[in-house]
């Protein structure tokens, strides 16, 4: 195996708890193709007794972590997972009881802001769905760039059983990812979807045995972390932005991004390394028109 093909070394760091129900752990990624130690940040919802249900405080804590990740160029990719039988089993419905419409909608607005921020991270994100991903949990997973699931995972948008509909993007992000017919079926019936069905609809990157999920997700995230950071971020931005544009405009944006990358130190290093038959050493330093 050549040096360029060797897998990166991943070393887990200590676990911190910025919120009682949210664990944060960095996995340092060392690889000769990226200068400096990048990291995979793992966010783990740790509320097993409630199957990971998102309380108002937990939503705010998740949003704070997302904001910190956005500002940290050393974090090259992100894994979001749960604990035990639940990934995120939706909102904490107990908090809905006997509250005003204004308070209910305030929670929905905060959730949307956090979900949008997660989707808008420049770093690639991986949802490692270990169990129930219901309601807001399914919506959180849909905000990530990739979804990997345990064989025990279950997906659902069951709000109709409460006389409601999804409010965190379920009707829209799922329709864009898998089409309106499947979305209407899941939203209008509230039924559960197994991972093999989700995979057939193109929603999943892979399915693993339960005990292997987090390690596989971190391994996959590390494979993203060792790619040229500017190119990875530009690829995400162009793909996400392009689906909302006319094809001609999206193609022009793609070529403009390619030109900026060609003009970057990483772009020139990649070409030079290819010709010299060696592994490139990418720095991820920003260039004109490119965000680090």
């Amino acid at each position: 195996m050549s040096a360029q093909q060797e897998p990166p070394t991943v070393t887990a760091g200590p676990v911190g708890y910025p919120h009682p129900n949210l664990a944060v752990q960095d996995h340092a990624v060392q690889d000769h193709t990226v200068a400096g130690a990048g990291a995979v940040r793992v966010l783990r919802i740790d509320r097993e007794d409630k199957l990971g249900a998102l309380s108002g405080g937990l939503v705010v804590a998740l949003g704070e972590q997302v904001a910190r990740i956005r500002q940290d160029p050393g974090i090259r990719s992100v894994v979001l997972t749960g604990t035990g039988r639940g990934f995120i089993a939706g909102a904490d419905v107990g908090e809905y009881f006997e509250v005003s419409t204004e308070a209910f909608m305030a929670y929905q607005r905060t959730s949307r802001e956090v979900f949008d921020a997660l989707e808008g991270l420049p770093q690639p994100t991986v949802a490692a769905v270990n169990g129930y991903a219901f309601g807001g949990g399914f919506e959180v997973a849909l905000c990530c760039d990739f979804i990997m699931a345990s064989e025990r995972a279950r997906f659902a948008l069951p709000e109709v059983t409460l006389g409601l509909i999804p409010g965190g993007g379920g009707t829209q992000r799922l329709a864009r990812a898998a089409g309106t017919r499947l979305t209407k079926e899941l939203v209008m019936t509230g039924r559960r979807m197994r991972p093999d069905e989700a995979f057939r609809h193109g929603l999943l990157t892979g399915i693993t045995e339960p005990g292997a999920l987090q390690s596989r997700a971190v391994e996959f995230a590390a494979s993203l972390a060792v790619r040229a950071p500017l190119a990875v971020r530009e690829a995400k931005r162009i793909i996400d932005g392009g689906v909302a544009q006319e094809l001609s405009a999206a193609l022009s944006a793609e070529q403009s991004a390619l030109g900026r990358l060609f003009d970057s130190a990483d772009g020139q290093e990649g070409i030079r390394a290819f010709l010299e038959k060696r592994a490139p050493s990418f720095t991820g330093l920003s260039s004109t028109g490119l965000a680090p």
Side-chain angles (χ1 to χ4, degrees):
M1 181 179 291
S2 68
Q4 194 169 3
Q5 293 175 314
E6 292 175 359
T9 300
V10 181
T11 306
V15 179
Y17 277 84
H19 181 276
N21 301 130
L22 181 62
V24 178
Q25 184 179 34
D26 283 346
H27 290 66
V29 180
Q30 296 180 332
D31 185 274
H32 56 276
T33 64
V34 179
V40 174
R41 175 151 296 178
V42 177
L43 301 178
R44 180 170 56 84
I45 305 299
D46 189 2
R47 201 184 184 202
E48 192 169 2
D49 60 323
K50 296 288 187 178
L51 299 177
L54 290 174
S55 64
L58 183 50
V59 170
V60 171
L62 180 60
E64 291 172 349
Q65 290 303 310
V66 169
R68 291 175 181 172
I69 289 168
R70 170 177 285 276
Q71 299 301 320
D72 190 343
I75 299 172
R76 299 277 167 77
S77 57
V78 180
V79 173
L80 178 61
T81 192
T83 304
R85 296 186 299 125
F87 171 66
I88 299 171
D92 190 338
V93 179
E95 294 187 357
Y96 289 176
F97 186 63
E98 294 184 344
V99 300
S100 67
T101 301
E102 291 76 12
F104 172 77
M105 291 307 298
Y107 171 86
Q108 301 301 323
R109 286 191 294 271
T110 299
S111 296
R112 178 180 173 182
E113 290 171 0
V114 172
F115 294 2
D116 287 351
L118 173 63
E119 183 180 47
L121 279 176
Q123 299 97 327
T125 53
V126 182
V129 180
N130 53 294
Y132 299 124
F134 293 169
F138 195 0
E139 291 170 323
V140 165
L142 288 168
C143 291
C144 295
D145 299 303
F146 307 95
I147 304 175
M148 301 183 73
S150 158
E151 294 168 341
R152 295 177 182 168
R154 296 295 182 270
F155 301 87
L157 294 169
E159 289 83 354
V160 69
T161 64
L162 301 177
L164 304 172
I165 65 169
T171 64
Q172 302 306 307
R173 289 190 175 96
L174 181 59
R176 284 161 172 75
T180 57
R181 286 185 174 83
L182 176 67
T183 301
K184 288 176 181 178
E185 179 194 352
L186 294 180
V187 170
M188 293 179 187
T189 66
R191 75 170 178 87
R192 300 180 181 186
M193 180 170 57
R194 296 174 62 88
D196 55 344
E197 182 183 356
F199 186 83
R200 289 198 302 271
H201 287 290
L203 293 170
L204 304 186
T205 300
I207 303 171
T208 74
E209 296 179 357
L213 177 64
Q214 181 163 325
S215 62
R216 288 283 302 278
V218 169
E219 178 183 308
F220 177 69
S223 74
L224 301 169
V226 299
R227 298 304 179 198
L230 293 179
V232 169
R233 292 184 179 212
E234 280 292 278
K236 174 173 177 171
R237 186 181 68 83
I238 291 297
I239 293 168
D240 286 348
V243 296
Q245 294 179 301
E246 293 291 334
L247 179 59
S248 178
L251 291 172
S252 295
E254 177 189 70
Q255 288 204 332
S256 294
L258 174 62
R260 293 192 297 273
L261 288 167
F262 178 81
D263 193 43
S264 72
D266 278 0
Q268 292 302 305
E269 165 62 11
I271 294 169
R272 186 179 301 109
F274 178 83
L275 295 175
E276 295 175 357
K277 302 185 186 306
R278 60 173 174 82
S281 181
F282 297 122
T283 65
L285 297 178
S286 62
S287 181
T288 303
L290 291 170

